[in-house]
Amino acid sequence: MKGTCPPQAVPGVIPASDGAGEVVAVGGEVTRFVLGDRVAGTYFPNRLDGRITPDLLDQPGATLDGVLTECARLGQAAAVRVPDRLTWEEAACLPCAGVTAWYSPTGGGPLAPGQTVLTLGAGAEVREAFSYYGSGAAFGKVVIRVS
């Protein structure tokens, strides 16, 4: 790591941002999850909505402890429920690769209905992201997948 990509990695932080797991404990104020829920972490856990700003750039595996561990502690706002239809491996791709695939056709300004989205050489995580977040057609777009 050369330290040229923000945010700067914190020495000693637990690595990896992408992962999924089962809720094994909850705090007294947790309302979104119960024991046994399948969850994945979020890539920017401090960003709940809106444009990203420098104060929201903390990332698991870089500036916050990541998920390459037997147990990870996440705030309830930093986790999302995983649909039962996804395998653990598919769910583990959602925090970074899946959100990237979703953000591409939706972020930085919406595409107009009828525009085309081309996913070229995209893997299973892109397919699952479109399935999980709604198909491109749900965004009013024609989706062409070439693998």
Side-chain angles (χ1 to χ4, degrees), residues 16-46:
S17 61
D18 285 12
E22 182 178 328
V23 175
V24 297
V26 295
E29 296 183 24
V30 173
T31 59
R32 294 183 59 216
F33 302 104
V34 297
L35 297 180
D37 279 349
R38 292 166 30 102
V39 297
T42 58
Y43 193 65
F44 292 113
N46 296 331

Side-chain angles (χ1 to χ4, degrees), residues 23-84:
V23 175
V24 297
V26 295
E29 296 183 24
V30 173
T31 59
R32 294 183 59 216
F33 302 104
V34 297
L35 297 180
D37 279 349
R38 292 166 30 102
V39 297
T42 58
Y43 193 65
F44 292 113
N46 296 331
R47 178 184 177 220
L48 300 180
D49 60 23
R51 293 265 183 213
I52 192 134
T53 57
D55 60 315
L56 301 176
L57 282 177
D58 280 327
Q59 296 173 352
T63 58
L64 304 170
D65 278 338
V67 296
L68 197 57
T69 182
E70 193 162 322
C71 285
R73 181 179 176 188
L74 302 173
Q76 66 177 330
V80 294
R81 190 166 279 110
V82 171
D84 290 336

Side-chain angles (χ1 to χ4, degrees), residues 40-135:
T42 58
Y43 193 65
F44 292 113
N46 296 331
R47 178 184 177 220
L48 300 180
D49 60 23
R51 293 265 183 213
I52 192 134
T53 57
D55 60 315
L56 301 176
L57 282 177
D58 280 327
Q59 296 173 352
T63 58
L64 304 170
D65 278 338
V67 296
L68 197 57
T69 182
E70 193 162 322
C71 285
R73 181 179 176 188
L74 302 173
Q76 66 177 330
V80 294
R81 190 166 279 110
V82 171
D84 290 336
R85 74 176 185 279
L86 297 183
T87 66
W88 287 115
E89 294 82 5
E90 291 166 337
C93 293
L94 291 176
C96 184
V99 173
T100 298
W102 171 77
Y103 185 80
S104 296
T106 63
L111 297 173
Q115 285 186 297
T116 300
V117 174
L118 172 65
T119 60
L120 180 60
E125 65 275 1
V126 172
R127 181 186 69 245
E128 289 305 324
F130 270 86
S131 174
Y132 183 68
Y133 291 110
S135 69

